[in-house]
């Protein structure tokens, strides 16, 4: 008879269980304004498995857990940092959620609804939220050095893809899997200077190649717009299509790509600006010339590629420093995964994962809109505002509101921005990078 297996690890250091965060009237009012139940009417004609959502005799879960109720539940899971479906149902039963009054629902009914309610409905909600935020045309503080770039291009977007974490395998058919099952892959597009989400795409295949999203990005990008991507979207066909349509791209140059220098626009001790012709082999042509900007940063040469051929439209310094802003999309992934909980997937089904992805990006858009208001009130560029600290300060505002019900969120955040750490500090590495940049582009400035 075999001995019982001994449990590994110290039981005193098991996973912490946190309570749901308190409600915030300001956040809920913004969510209700952008995602009100009234906008759901035009989404109810979406069909799932050849059955209409408005069929005559829907199951009990479908009658109770309607789209407005499910939207309130899923958004509350994100914005109130609720880790378990059981806890969100307790909140729903005791106090209600957002625009939904208190009601009792079983966990089994909620789990089934997460699998049966079409995720396309949440895709539509995200699109409507983005449209409403874009219609506001909110004034944001932009660094003066980027004012010329904003004027030259109709839009400056950053796009990147990210793989989701592994899903829990204790549900459904995933129990038969031996290896980790990833939740899928998402593509996100944000504005370079306001950080506002522009578009989001999801695929259940975690191994999907970024180049398969070429068509979606090409359609979304307006004429005269500039898209900043990494080398995952690299392709001659992609470059030629954008050039034909009057759209622009900025990315990194691959190391082993053969090209011929057509013309040298300018050069210095630390940089080179050249017009090149790639695709020299007849089986893989690149019909339009491209522009390559190389910069020596420290002891390493970095090469950037764009189809903006006019240096008056985009200077070589702007090419290099604008690509460095691509890191803003990585910050967005970091915030959604670690701060807003997208690294922990609630369900194992592809439909529920997609709902969580779009609900998280909806709340991220609302949170970013709040940060834009804080940036304007503090007269700071939005990149100086810490999204994480703005989110964490909502708890302290809730406590202060219990003592003084007349408080307003934005004035309170402005008053306590130092203690809350809302403005990012200028680190020593920032000063060092700024000094290196001045030395690198000294020749170009003179």
């Amino acid at each position: 008879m075999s001995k019982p297996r001994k449990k590994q690890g110290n039981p005193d250091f098991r996973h912490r269980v946190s309570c749901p965060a308190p409600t915030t009237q300001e956040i809920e009012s913004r969510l209700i304004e952008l995602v009100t139940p009234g906008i759901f009417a035009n989404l109810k004609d979406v069909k799932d498995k050849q059955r209409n959502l408005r069929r005559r005799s829907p199951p009990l879960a479908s009658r109770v857990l309607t789209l407005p109720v499910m939207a309130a539940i899923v958004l509350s899971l994100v914005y109130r940092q609720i880790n378990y479906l059981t806890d969100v149902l307790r909140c729903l039963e005791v106090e209600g959620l957002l625009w939904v009054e208190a009601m009792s629902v079983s966990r089994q009914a909620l789990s089934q609804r997460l699998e049966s309610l079409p995720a396309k409905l949440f895709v539509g909600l995200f699109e409507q939220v983005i449209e409403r935020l874009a219609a506001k045309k909110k004034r944001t503080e932009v660094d003066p050095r980027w004012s010329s770039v904003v004027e030259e291009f109709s839009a400056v977007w950053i796009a990147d893809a990210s793989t989701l974490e592994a899903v829990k395998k204790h549900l459904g058919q995933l129990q038969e899997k031996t290896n980790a099952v990833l939740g899928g892959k998402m593509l996100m597009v944000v504005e370079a200077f306001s950080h506002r989400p522009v578009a989001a795409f999801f695929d259940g295949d975690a191994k999907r190649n970024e180049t398969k999203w070429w068509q979606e990005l090409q359609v979304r990008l307006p004429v005269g717009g500039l898209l900043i991507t990494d080398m995952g979207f690299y392709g001659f066909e992609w470059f030629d299509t954008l050039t034909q349509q009057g759209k622009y791209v900025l990315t990194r140059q691959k190391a082993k790509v053969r090209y011929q220098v057509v013309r040298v626009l300018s050069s210095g001790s630390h940089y080179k600006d050249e017009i090149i012709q790639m695709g020299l082999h007849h089986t893989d042509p690149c019909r339009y010339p491209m522009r390559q900007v190389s910069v020596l940063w420290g002891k390493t040469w970095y090469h950037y590629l764009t189809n903006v051929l006019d240096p008056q439209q985009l200077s070589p310094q702007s090419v290099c420093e604008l690509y460095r802003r691509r890191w803003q999309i990585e910050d967005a992934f970091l915030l959604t995964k670690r701060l807003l909980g997208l690294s922990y997937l609630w369900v194992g089904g592809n439909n529920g994962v997609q709902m969580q992805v779009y609900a998280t990006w909806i709340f991220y858009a609302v949170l970013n809109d709040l940060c834009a208001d804080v940036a304007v009130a503090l007269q700071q560029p939005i990149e100086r505002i810490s999204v994480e600290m703005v989110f964490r300060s909502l708890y302290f505002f809730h406590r202060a509101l219990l003592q003084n019900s007349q408080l307003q969120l934005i004035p309170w955040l402005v008053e306590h921005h130092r203690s809350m750490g809302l403005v990012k500090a200028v680190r020593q590495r920032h000063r060092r990078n700024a000094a290196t940049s001045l030395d690198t582009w000294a020749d170009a400035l003179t």
Side-chain angles (χ1 to χ4, degrees), residues 70-235:
M70 287 299 296
I73 290 175
V74 176
L75 287 173
S76 297
L77 279 164
V78 177
Y79 115 84
R80 295 187 60 181
Q81 298 288 277
I82 305 176
N83 296 328
Y84 304 100
L85 297 181
T86 304
D87 286 344
V88 75
L89 292 178
R90 289 168 181 157
C91 295
L92 179 62
E93 180 179 357
V94 173
E95 59 189 82
L97 298 172
L98 293 172
W99 49 79
V100 178
E101 297 181 354
M103 57 188 299
S104 179
V105 179
S106 68
R107 177 171 179 173
Q108 181 181 7
L110 178 58
S111 299
Q112 293 176 352
R113 197 58 174 150
L114 285 172
E115 292 301 321
S116 63
L117 185 68
K120 292 182 179 179
L121 298 175
F122 280 82
V123 177
L125 289 181
F126 173 78
E127 296 291 343
Q128 294 188 35
V129 169
I130 294 305
E131 290 178 3
R132 291 194 172 193
L133 289 175
K136 286 184 175 182
K137 295 182 179 179
K138 186 172 298 184
R139 182 181 64 87
T140 56
E141 296 290 338
V142 179
D143 195 315
R145 61 177 176 168
W146 299 116
S147 58
S148 60
V149 176
V150 174
E151 295 175 358
E152 288 290 342
F153 300 96
S154 59
V156 182
W157 293 353
I158 308 173
D160 199 6
S162 179
T163 304
L164 297 176
E165 306 298 330
V167 299
K168 301 298 181 182
K169 295 193 295 183
H170 63 277
L171 299 173
Q173 300 177 354
L174 296 180
Q175 295 177 355
E176 303 175 358
K177 303 291 185 179
T178 56
N179 299 324
V181 180
L182 300 179
K185 201 166 190 176
M186 59 180 176
L187 172 69
M188 195 64 204
V189 185
V190 301
E191 287 188 347
F193 303 110
S194 68
H195 306 172
R196 180 176 59 84
V198 175
F201 306 95
F202 173 81
D203 194 304
D205 183 10
K207 297 182 179 180
R208 171 166 179 162
N209 193 290
E210 287 88 340
T211 58
K212 294 184 179 181
W213 272 302
W214 278 354
Q215 182 65 27
E216 288 84 351
L217 291 175
Q218 171 190 331
V219 172
R220 287 298 186 97
L221 185 66
V223 176
L226 175 64
L227 184 66
I228 308 172
T229 64
D230 62 2
M231 288 188 293
F233 298 86
Y234 192 101

Side-chain angles (χ1 to χ4, degrees), residues 202-274:
F202 173 81
D203 194 304
D205 183 10
K207 297 182 179 180
R208 171 166 179 162
N209 193 290
E210 287 88 340
T211 58
K212 294 184 179 181
W213 272 302
W214 278 354
Q215 182 65 27
E216 288 84 351
L217 291 175
Q218 171 190 331
V219 172
R220 287 298 186 97
L221 185 66
V223 176
L226 175 64
L227 184 66
I228 308 172
T229 64
D230 62 2
M231 288 188 293
F233 298 86
Y234 192 101
F236 295 164
E237 179 184 355
W238 165 248
F239 299 151
D240 289 338
T241 302
L242 292 178
T243 302
Q244 288 176 349
Q245 297 180 353
K247 303 175 182 180
Y248 303 102
V249 65
L250 172 59
T251 185
R252 285 274 299 276
Q253 175 66 292
K254 287 189 175 182
K256 296 183 179 180
V257 172
R258 293 180 58 197
Y259 63 88
Q260 181 180 359
V261 177
V262 177
R263 185 169 75 256
V264 177
L265 299 177
S266 61
S267 63
S269 59
H270 291 76
Y271 83 97
K272 290 184 294 184
D273 190 2
E274 306 166 312

Side-chain angles (χ1 to χ4, degrees), residues 293-295 304 315-324 441:
V293 177
S294 307
V295 60
Y304 305 97
S315 66
Q317 181 179 2
S318 297
V319 169
C320 300
E321 295 187 357
L322 196 58
Y323 185 83
R324 291 176 59 187
W441 300 105

